[in-house]
Structures are given as C-alpha cells and as structure tokens.
Amino acid sequence: MNKVFIIAEAGVNHNGDVKLAKKIIDSAKEAGADAIKFQSFITENLVTKDAMKANYQQITTGNTETQFEMLKRLELSANDQIELLKYANNKKIKFLSTPFDLDSVDLLNNLKLDIFKISSGDITNYPLLSKIGSLNKKIIISTGMCNLDEVKDALNILIKSGTKKDNITVLQCNTDYPTEYKDVNLRAMLTIKEEFNVKVGLSDHTPGIEISLAAVGMGAEVIEKHFTLDKNM
C-alpha cells in the first residue's frame, strides 16, 4: 500500500517506431517500473509549421528540420497507442501517456486510462486542465518553470472541474535536460506539499538515481524518470 509509484518516462524515445516502443515496454517491465509513459499529440494541434525546435532539441537532433517536422516524425497514431496499450497490459505494466491537445485527451479517455499525466508546459493550459479535470481521474501534474500561484491556479481548475484533491499528485520538476544537481531544490517539493496539502513526487531529470532516492526519503509518492534503451539513439 505504501509502495512508491515508479514511472518510466519513455516520451518520444521510440523515435516513431512501434516495434522500438514495445522493446522499451519490455525493458521498463524488466527494470521493475510500475508504469511506462509515452506522449499523445496531434502535431497539427500543437505547433505551427514553421516553429523552431528548442535549443536542447537542436543540439541533440540538429536544426535541419522544424519542430513540426520533428514531432510529425515522432507522432503515434491512435491505432499505434491502442496496440501499445494492449502490449503493456499483456506485460502487466501500466500504460500511461501525456496528452498535449484536447483530441488526445478524448483518445486516452476512450482507452479507459485511469491516470492522466499533465506536463509542466500545460500547467497554464486552462482548457486542457478543465477537460482532464472533468473526467475525475487520478492526475499527476508536473511543475517545471512554475511559480506557486500557477500551481495553485492549476489545482483550483482541476478541482472545480470535478477531480477530487486526493486524486492529484504534484511533481517537483526542473525543465532542464539534464538537470544539474545544484539546481534540483528538492525542498520545493516539501513547499508544495505544505502549501496545498497534496500528494507530491518528483519528475527527475538528473543523470543518476541519487536525487530520486533522496526524494523518496523526503516523502515522494511518485517518481518519474526518463527512460530509453540507448542514449545514442
């Protein structure tokens, strides 16, 4: 009952390849993770066609394509996600995905996911929060680059939309890949817990496991950790 919930955050590390995504699911299960998490988005709903990639994306994948082109290459279709959900269920690991647009919320709801993850970038996306909140699911929400007022507003929207406060877990998060140890500030997780009386955890972008272990010692109930088969991919 008191086990920490461990999420292997695969994101788009499948490179748009369902076979590779299945290998990532296998590896996450072997590693002992409770859940494997991908990303759900329709590129046309997310970015303009001439949007540039973020600096860290340009460093890792070059600057010869736009963000639209990159995301389109990494986008999983509805059928892809249905296939991966069934595969994860057979492997007895929970399938999760972060929706980045309203249509993707509908898709994941139709797939009967009981946990919704909300990214840091959408903590001020009030239409998305309202829609997810109205589903009365369990919600895990990250807080990278946020201040306390933004966290407060997001929680208020989720709760007013219909989600019980007890079903929300707030993750301390640094929007830096990778995060340097000096920038982690784990005490922010405790501030969030004390300020809002919610369950808390950590979305850990540091290279090692030490910060996750420290977070658990400080009361984290959820740990999310980026997960890939090969950092050179």
Side-chain angles (χ1 to χ4, degrees):
M1 292 295 291
N2 295 320
K3 186 178 183 297
V4 176
F5 188 65
I6 306 293
I7 302 171
E9 156 66 318
V12 292
N13 292 339
H14 49 72
N15 292 343
D17 185 341
V18 172
K19 290 183 180 178
L20 184 57
K22 289 179 178 179
K23 290 181 180 180
I24 293 175
I25 292 173
D26 292 340
S27 187
K29 174 64 179 179
E30 183 181 351
D34 298 294
I36 179 75
K37 190 180 78 63
F38 297 101
Q39 294 180 357
S40 298
F41 55 86
I42 298 171
T43 305
E44 287 81 358
N45 293 349
L46 197 58
V47 296
T48 60
K49 290 195 173 182
D50 57 355
M52 297 299 294
K53 291 191 288 189
N55 287 337
Y56 78 90
Q57 293 169 338
Q58 293 184 36
I59 291 170
T60 56
T61 62
N63 59 3
T64 59
E65 61 182 353
T66 65
Q67 188 166 80
F68 182 95
E69 291 168 334
M70 179 188 71
L71 290 177
K72 200 65 186 174
R73 177 167 51 82
L74 299 172
E75 181 181 317
L76 294 173
S77 70
N79 287 335
D80 290 339
Q81 293 174 73
I82 292 169
E83 184 176 346
L84 292 176
L85 170 63
K86 291 178 179 177
Y87 189 83
N89 286 343
N90 288 335
K91 292 291 181 177
K92 294 182 168 43
I93 184 170
K94 184 175 283 293
F95 174 92
L96 298 178
S97 190
T98 300
F100 286 88
D101 57 79
L102 300 179
D103 291 332
S104 296
V105 173
D106 287 332
L107 169 65
L108 297 179
N109 188 42
N110 290 336
L111 294 181
K112 303 188 186 306
L113 267 61
D114 58 352
I115 301 175
F116 272 68
K117 171 69 199 300
I118 299 172
S119 75
S120 295
D122 282 318
I123 200 166
T124 55
N125 184 344
Y126 297 159
L128 188 77
L129 296 181
S130 296
K131 184 156 192 170
I132 294 174
S134 70
L135 303 176
N136 194 22
K137 305 278 189 175
K138 292 180 180 177
I139 292 175
I140 301 171
I141 183 167
S142 287
T143 59
M145 295 175 65
C146 301
N147 59 44
L148 280 179
D149 283 339
E150 289 169 331
V151 178
K152 179 181 179 180
D153 288 344
L155 289 172
N156 285 339
I157 290 171
L158 292 172
I159 293 167
K160 288 180 180 178
S161 297
T163 297
K164 298 176 182 177
K165 189 176 184 180
D166 288 345
N167 284 338
I168 303 173
T169 303
V170 180
L171 303 186
Q172 159 66 352
C173 175
N174 295 83
T175 307
D176 193 16
Y177 310 92
T179 297
E180 295 185 38
Y181 292 124
K182 66 182 178 64
D183 294 326
V184 172
N185 190 18
L186 262 184
R187 286 182 294 184
M189 184 182 73
L190 300 182
T191 300
I192 292 168
K193 184 172 185 176
E194 293 165 4
E195 186 77 15
F196 304 116
N197 191 29
V198 291
K199 290 180 284 189
V200 293
L202 175 69
S203 181
D204 184 7
H205 298 155
T206 60
I209 65 170
E210 295 85 357
I211 301 301
S212 288
L213 293 174
V216 171
M218 294 168 66
E221 298 187 37
V222 174
I223 295 291
E224 177 183 82
K225 188 78 174 171
H226 280 260
F227 195 83
T228 187
L229 298 178
D230 184 347
K231 290 182 179 180
N232 294 315
M233 287 194 305

